[in-house]
Amino acid sequence: MDQKCLLCTLRSSAENKLNPEELEKLSLNCLTVSFKKGDSIIRQGTYSTNVAYLKEGLVKIHIEGPYFTQVVRIVKRGHYLGLPTTFGDKVNQYSVSAVEPSEVCFIDITAFRDMLSSNSEFSSQILTELCKSELESYQKCVNRTQRQLRGKIAGVILEFADDIYQSDNFIISINQQEMGNLVDASRESVSRVLSEFGRDKILRMEGKEIEILNKKMLINIAQNG
Amino acid sequence: MDQKCLLCTLRSSAENKLNPEELEKLSLNCLTVSFKKGDSIIRQGTYSTNVAYLKEGLVKIHIEGPYFTQVVRIVKRGHYLGLPTTFGDKVNQYSVSAVEPSEVCFIDITAFRDMLSSNSEFSSQILTELCKSELESYQKCVNRTQRQLRGKIAGVILEFADDIYQSDNFIISINQQEMGNLVDASRESVSRVLSEFGRDKILRMEGKEIEILNKKMLINIAQNG
DNA sequence: TATTAATTGTGATTTAGATCACAATTAATT
DNA sequence: AATTAATTGTGATCTAAATCACAATTAATA
């Protein structure tokens, strides 16, 4: 009798709606894999028979655009990855890579679908997650196009500080090229803006360590010009 | 005994999974409303107790950005509107307006949730719709930022021709300002590109009537530069 | 049908950010 | 520690598209 999911402390909010029997069934159909920074977790264009759940770590969702790779979003622990594939044509429409060391739980797609149809609370949680992500996409879409670079970079720094690390002093795990892909800017422009923030004493940067010195200002830049 | 949904010929794929009793219950909890071009169907920031289903017509989803309204996408008949609100905080996160005369079916949120939990085939269809829309968002996000204006406008024209009107000769129902909001460009730039397409004999335009004269070329522009 | 409002076309000018080019760091590997 | 590879910083130049400005159409309404 496999109790690994029953005993797992990193279950998703959806999985928390499952009863012990369902959790046991889940245990038999899921597999946890560790990834190092930079590892590919899901590959665009490949066939998939799993849903992935990010138990621990930080990943980026990226799509191969016509000219360069675009980072669509950064996803932190506690979210599913590749849900759209589950209900689509089973071919991954985007790639996911580890930005920090990550633990991913791969769940067999059939078992996942069974849980969806047998447990309506489970499926309601999944629906909620999908809806949130749709809204986030819309918002991102507006941000990407209606703010200028300083604002977008300020926004990303704040996202890392408030949402991801919950600290104003952190080691950022993406490089300037990746940040550029995330905010639709060239590496050089990112570098220039970051230098500017340093000069203006808004940030202190040493290598990948970032400390927010003037948060008010940063928030102001993120919101306005 | 209300049979309007049972007899409705414009049911969604999800509603087609409902049995006659469920359809009767739906009939008692839904209301069809007609909208004229330009009418507001869902208002960002307002409280909502309904899910909307677009039975007929064409609408745009738009969000108030910091500087201007951004048209996130055009939605044609056969899709739900405002699903994210259903599972979110009940406050509409975006607006929806009729671009063409439209028929919208408003379904009480509680009845809708009941169907989701009682009928897993129904909920599976809804999940599928949400997933598709997520993928579409990601793709749109890449298109918005990695193609230049000529390509984006060519893409929009093709979307109207192939997906919305299924004809290479149609009356476009959005003006140049709205098209600009849809492809993140100024009204003037849209005008210039359209004139250019006219000069190059790619399109013939008379007022709002558009005829595609050189589709190969248009497709080429949409894909490449 | 006259008048007002909305939409469109096109030139001139400006600008945010891209691209190019190369030096300076920093990190990874032999 | 030495060498190679990856990342970063910054100036100079270029460019697609924004913005400004205003005339020309077209549509809506009194």
Side-chain angles (χ1 to χ4, degrees), chain B residues 5-24:
Chain B
C5 291
L6 184 65
L7 302 172
C8 173
T9 54
L10 300 164
R11 283 202 305 265
S12 71
S13 52
E15 281 163 20
N16 280 331
K17 305 290 184 185
L18 299 176
N19 61 40
E21 295 90 82
E22 288 171 317
L23 280 171
E24 195 188 336

Side-chain angles (χ1 to χ4, degrees), chain A:
Chain A
M1 169 154 167
D2 193 335
Q3 297 199 315
K4 71 167 182 266
C5 290
L6 184 65
L7 302 172
C8 173
T9 54
L10 300 165
R11 283 202 305 265
S12 71
S13 53
E15 282 162 19
N16 281 331
K17 304 291 183 183
L18 299 176
N19 61 41
E21 296 91 79
E22 289 171 317
L23 280 172
E24 195 188 337
K25 194 183 161 206
L26 179 61
S27 299
L28 298 169
N29 287 288
C30 93
L31 181 68
T32 301
V33 181
S34 296
F35 293 91
K36 295 192 305 294
K37 180 180 164 65
D39 282 354
S40 171
I41 298 170
I42 291 177
R43 274 203 175 78
Q44 183 173 348
T46 61
Y47 189 84
S48 165
T49 54
N50 298 292
V51 178
Y53 175 73
L54 184 62
K55 280 167 77 172
E56 201 53 79
L58 195 68
V59 304
K60 59 176 176 181
I61 294 183
H62 47 114
I63 293 189
E64 294 310 314
Y67 304 115
F68 51 87
T69 296
Q70 178 139 8
V71 178
V72 177
R73 55 201 290 220
I74 299 282
V75 176
K76 63 170 183 172
R77 72 164 186 281
H79 295 273
Y80 285 93
L81 309 166
L83 277 181
T85 307
T86 323
F87 289 88
D89 56 7
K90 308 276 186 302
V91 173
N92 292 306
Q93 301 295 305
Y94 51 73
S95 298
V96 179
S97 305
V99 159
E100 290 180 14
S102 298
E103 295 270 298
V104 176
C105 194
F106 288 97
I107 304 153
D108 178 76
I109 218 165
T110 315
F112 190 81
R113 277 169 166 283
D114 285 352
M115 290 186 293
L116 279 172
S117 58
S118 66
N119 186 323
S120 69
E121 283 191 275
F122 179 85
S123 103
S124 171
Q125 290 291 323
I126 297 293
L127 273 165
T128 304
E129 172 148 353
L130 279 169
C131 288
K132 272 193 195 140
S133 129
E134 171 153 3
L135 288 178
E136 223 177 277
S137 294
Y138 287 170
Q139 206 47 60
K140 279 252 152 77
C141 166
V142 172
N143 286 344
R144 264 169 203 276
T145 50
Q146 288 196 37
R147 295 160 77 198
Q148 51 195 82
L149 196 48
R150 280 169 58 90
K152 290 192 279 189
I153 292 181
V156 169
I157 303 279
L158 287 170
E159 185 186 335
F160 270 92
D162 296 341
D163 189 41
I164 297 173
Y165 297 116
Q166 271 116 33
S167 161
D168 287 358
N169 194 168
F170 55 90
I171 311 284
I172 196 159
S173 43
I174 56 175
N175 64 27
Q176 295 184 354
Q177 177 66 67
E178 290 174 296
M179 192 182 293
N181 292 340
L182 186 58
V183 298
D184 307 319
S186 68
R187 191 223 99 218
E188 294 92 326
S189 296
V190 171
S191 175
R192 267 182 261 268
V193 169
L194 288 177
S195 306
E196 217 175 293
F197 285 173
R199 238 175 284 128
D200 297 349
K201 304 266 180 276
I202 294 168
L203 300 180
R204 185 183 59 75
M205 287 180 299
E206 263 176 71
K208 292 253 186 267
E209 190 193 344
I210 289 184
E211 183 181 0
I212 298 177
L213 299 176
N214 189 340
K215 193 148 186 183
K216 258 192 193 154
M217 194 63 187
L218 198 62
I219 292 172
N220 184 47
I221 293 171
Q223 282 166 354
N224 310 97

